[in-house]
Amino acid sequence: MTSTSAVFSALAPYGWDESWADAFAPHAADGLLPGRVIRVDRGQCDVATADGIVRADTEFVVPRDPMKAVCTGDWVAVDPDGDPRYVRTYLPRRTAFVRSTSSKRSEGQILAANVDHAVVAVSLAVELDLGRVERFLALAWESGAQPVVVLTKADLVPDPVTLAHLVQDVETSAPGVPVLTVSALHGEGLDVLVALVGSGTSVLLGQSGAGKSTLANALVGADVMDVRAARDVDGKGRHTTTTRNLLALPSGGVLIDTPGLRGVGLFDAEAGVGQVFSEIEELAERCRFHDCAHESEPGCAVRSAVEDGELPVRRLESYRKLVRENQWIVAKTDARVRAEIKKDWKRKGAEGRAAMEAKRGRRM
């Protein structure tokens, strides 16, 4: 049996602490070994244990609900020996980064578990897509992690005034979120990021071509991730990272690198959306009607802020889009929400018809 001190010595670089040890105690009593999943691939996973990296089968943890499948970042209980070895269960997750599946079904897909920081990588080699940044941030806030936006390839924007404007645009779209500029190629800005991810677990997110693998290599201090050049035409890259990989950082902390995400669907992320658009949520509290849709209702504080130039039109449009999308995915699994949305549609339809009738009456 591996000693407690040996377990702590081997797993501390992966985030093991007294709290995880206490949660694992019942499984230790059953003779199982603790470990952290560093990679999942086709029903098997690589697990960091006190015995080193072991390959284990997830056959005993294959639920119907994909939200309960083993994923990178999980702390698991592994058979002490055997060929093959098996993951018997995983410890309750502190946080989970979840998106909706690309199949458009009412299912979520866990990208990473037990994450403290969500690092959203955004390339400065192409035009900023602020709507996509807001989408990533909504998922990050909903997960329970603290998001940070990293603007990569800053060396491609040599003009400091232009760079300052780009940073300001992102800061406006990311209230309460640190925004860093980094050039992994030249090492600029990395010291701040290293300090930020130096404790806990961070997940690296972003589109293909955002420079995530280059950033991961810079943080690890070695070429552990394959890197390919992005296309000049649109800045997009190939999926150099095809699985989620957990890496222990030499300066402390743990990093989970993820494949480039083309589709980032919300999954029951109401609180996350509200956090990203906190200024709109605060303005909405001053609206005349508590269920104001911020469209044509009288006394709408949100639309007044837009008219006064206090709130950018793009922010309101992005907010509406994400709210509608989130309502749609929630409604697929909640009959009560579906009924409320249908009732709201009928109400708005009746109001629209009444407005048209009144307009016609004035013309007669």
Side-chain angles (χ1 to χ4, degrees):
M1 178 67 70
T2 306
S3 68
T4 300
S5 60
V7 169
F8 266 90
S9 177
L11 296 184
Y14 294 95
W16 186 254
D17 56 26
E18 293 286 353
S19 178
W20 286 119
D22 290 342
F24 191 82
H27 307 297
D30 291 335
L32 298 175
L33 296 179
R36 193 164 196 192
V37 177
I38 62 176
R39 184 172 178 268
V40 177
D41 182 26
R42 299 177 183 178
Q44 293 186 313
C45 59
D46 294 332
V47 184
T49 72
D51 294 340
I53 306 299
V54 303
R55 188 72 167 166
D57 200 303
T58 61
E59 177 182 340
F60 290 95
V61 194
V62 186
R64 292 182 179 180
D65 184 354
M67 296 279 285
K68 297 179 180 178
V70 173
C71 76
T72 303
D74 272 328
W75 285 101
V76 296
V78 183
D79 286 335
D81 49 37
D83 185 17
R85 298 173 83 162
Y86 291 94
V87 171
R88 296 293 172 172
T89 188
Y90 60 84
L91 300 185
R93 293 160 177 157
R94 293 177 181 174
T95 61
F97 194 96
V98 184
R99 68 168 177 174
S100 63
T101 58
S102 57
S103 62
K104 302 298 183 181
R105 295 176 299 185
S106 53
E107 295 177 347
Q109 177 191 23
I110 296 184
L111 299 178
N114 302 311
V115 172
D116 301 293
H117 307 285
V119 180
V120 180
V122 181
S123 173
L124 289 175
V126 294
E127 185 177 354
L128 287 176
D129 185 344
L130 297 177
R132 181 169 288 271
V133 172
E134 290 161 344
R135 179 180 293 272
F136 271 115
L137 292 176
L139 294 177
W141 281 121
E142 190 68 31
S143 74
Q146 167 65 50
V148 56
V149 177
V150 175
L151 302 180
T152 65
K153 308 181 183 182
D155 53 290
L156 298 181
V157 188
D159 179 25
V161 175
T162 300
L163 183 60
H165 283 308
L166 292 173
V167 171
Q168 184 177 29
D169 286 343
V170 176
E171 289 176 337
T172 301
S173 303
V177 176
V179 178
L180 310 178
T181 57
V182 168
S183 170
L185 183 64
H186 301 294
E188 297 171 358
L190 282 175
D191 54 340
V192 179
L193 182 58
V194 167
L196 190 147
V197 302
S199 62
T201 298
S202 302
V203 62
L204 191 53
L205 306 160
Q207 287 183 283
S208 297
K212 299 190 307 304
S213 295
T214 301
L215 195 58
N217 287 339
L219 291 172
V220 175
D223 292 335
V224 294
M225 305 304 297
D226 186 24
V227 177
R228 298 180 188 175
R231 297 189 307 228
D232 291 335
V233 63
D234 56 10
K236 293 182 180 179
R238 298 186 183 93
H239 288 296
T240 55
T241 303
T242 57
T243 59
R244 287 169 279 281
N245 301 278
L246 185 146
L247 309 165
L249 301 177
S251 57
V254 177
L255 181 70
I256 299 177
D257 190 21
T258 65
L261 301 174
R262 291 194 178 97
V264 192
L266 300 185
F267 186 80
D268 197 5
E270 179 180 359
V273 173
Q275 187 76 33
V276 175
F277 298 93
S278 56
E279 82 277 31
I280 296 180
E281 299 272 298
E282 292 173 3
L283 286 168
E285 294 179 359
R286 306 206 302 263
C287 291
R288 181 182 302 177
F289 303 107
H290 71 86
D291 60 347
C292 183
H294 319 307
E295 293 177 352
S296 58
E297 297 87 346
C300 176
V302 174
R303 286 193 300 107
S304 293
V306 172
E307 293 167 0
D308 295 342
E310 179 185 348
L311 177 68
V313 175
R314 190 206 64 78
R315 283 282 283 173
L316 179 56
E317 291 176 345
S318 182
Y319 172 74
R320 287 170 173 163
K321 179 179 180 180
L322 293 185
V323 166
R324 285 195 301 267
E325 179 181 328
N326 192 66
Q327 287 178 335
W328 179 82
I329 193 67
V330 171
K332 295 190 74 174
T333 57
D334 192 322
R336 180 185 58 80
V337 174
R338 284 199 301 272
E340 289 178 354
I341 292 176
K342 187 174 182 180
K343 181 180 179 181
D344 187 51
W345 284 345
K346 287 183 176 180
R347 177 182 63 80
K348 290 181 179 178
E351 290 175 351
R353 288 190 294 272
M356 288 297 295
E357 290 296 332
K359 188 175 182 179
R360 289 172 182 169
R362 289 195 297 270
R363 289 177 177 176
M364 293 180 64

